[in-house]
Amino acid sequence: MSLLDRMGFATTRKALLVLNGIYLFFAVILVGTAWYTHNAAIVTSVSIAGGIIAAGVFLLAVSVLGLWATREQNQAALFFYMIILFCVFVVQCSVALACLGQLSDVSLEELISSGWKVASPSTIFDAEKAFGCCGLRSAAEVVDGCKQ
């Protein structure tokens, strides 16, 4: 094996180790953000923090797999690591495209109305308290305990 081939592999290995170290750092940031969000939530009954924690734990597991596979030079583990990263990339692109889609005022109003209809009374009360209102459109939709 030539020196150039060995340097290329060593550089790739170091790059993968650094990349997985960054993934590990962001996983810790995600879990810390979820903890903070859970403790400082305005709408307490909606569990956004659970999704953030799940994403952080998943990223933590992927980064540990990548670190282990790179360090041990396990080709099968590196293959599955690449497949997982590709799937994550596809999901991220799909979510980004969905978020970039423009909502008209009518569709946004329908989305808010449907969410209001299926929300639990505690979620509605928390939202009314946070936004200083009673009901979505009128006081006729008021949940018990809401004061004008």
Side-chain angles (χ1 to χ4, degrees):
M1 181 177 277
S2 71
L3 179 62
L4 186 59
D5 289 339
R6 287 191 54 115
M7 280 182 36
F9 178 74
T11 304
T12 303
R13 185 174 180 206
K14 287 177 186 174
L16 275 173
L17 289 172
V18 168
L19 177 69
N20 286 304
I22 292 170
Y23 283 163
L24 196 63
F25 173 74
F26 279 116
V28 170
I29 294 293
L30 280 174
V31 173
T33 302
W35 176 81
Y36 176 77
T37 304
H38 179 68
N39 288 334
I42 294 173
V43 181
T44 57
S45 61
V46 177
S47 182
I48 296 173
I52 297 172
I53 288 174
V57 169
F58 178 75
L59 186 58
L60 182 73
V62 168
S63 66
V64 168
L65 173 67
L67 284 170
W68 177 79
T70 302
R71 202 167 152 97
E72 297 295 320
Q73 299 177 7
N74 188 328
Q75 289 184 350
L78 281 171
F79 174 75
F80 285 115
Y81 172 73
M82 290 181 355
I83 296 295
I84 291 170
L85 284 184
F86 177 74
C87 292
V88 167
F89 174 75
V90 169
V91 169
Q92 285 179 343
C93 284
S94 302
V95 169
L97 289 174
C99 289
L100 290 175
Q102 294 182 2
L103 287 175
S104 66
D105 291 339
V106 174
S107 62
L108 184 60
E109 186 176 334
E110 289 175 6
L111 180 66
I112 293 171
S113 296
S114 64
W116 188 269
K117 289 176 187 174
V118 298
S120 68
S122 63
T123 302
I124 292 173
F125 180 72
D126 286 344
E128 290 171 342
K129 184 174 67 172
F131 295 113
C133 64
C134 286
L136 182 61
R137 291 190 185 86
S138 68
E141 301 170 344
V142 171
V143 174
D144 295 336
C146 184
K147 297 176 182 148
Q148 295 262 353

